[in-house]
Amino acid sequence: MKLRLMPLSALALMLPACMVDSPALGYSRAAFSTVELGGNSYRVYTEETRNCVEVHRVNFVFPPPSRLEILMQMEAAAKQVTQCNVKKGTFIGDQAMSKGQLDCSEGPGAKDWVPGTCNTMPWR
């Protein structure tokens, strides 16, 4: 009987950790800004020495909203925080978390992000 309960107790201990909103390992030192768009809350993680951004939707919505709608809001949140555009074709993810490469070649007040430090598609 103890053997059957062991996997269940391990799962019960791990589930709360899955619900914690934290950035990917590459953003462990990154600052974040909170943005409210269309009734959703987003955390936009950026790091001064990288040309990429990671965006998390942190509010619970049921039923899940349209993936396209959320991705558009995430991209807008990234642009609002960084004052940079997201490079076309690099913004990937789902309704909870997405990341992309920044293009800061235009725009007033854009920071000098270090090019080539963002690996948004590790499988390539």
Side-chain angles (χ1 to χ4, degrees), residues 21-24 41-43 45 54-58 74 96-97:
D21 176 46
S22 60
S41 279
Y42 298 98
R43 280 191 182 169
Y45 291 89
E54 186 171 292
V55 184
H56 295 206
R57 183 174 55 84
V58 294
M74 286 178 162
M97 183 199 77

Side-chain angles (χ1 to χ4, degrees), residues 46-53 84 87 100-105 110-119:
T46 57
E47 194 172 335
E48 289 291 330
T49 60
R50 297 169 59 94
N51 71 332
C52 49
V53 63
C84 298
K87 191 180 284 186
Q101 251 179 347
L102 296 172
D103 175 10
C104 297
S105 58
K111 297 177 183 179
D112 290 327
W113 299 91
V114 177
T117 57
C118 183
N119 185 12

Side-chain angles (χ1 to χ4, degrees), residues 86-109:
V86 176
K87 191 180 284 186
K88 190 171 183 135
T90 67
F91 201 62
I92 57 171
D94 56 28
Q95 290 103 327
M97 183 199 77
S98 294
K99 57 193 231 177
Q101 251 179 347
L102 296 172
D103 175 10
C104 297
S105 58
E106 299 176 5

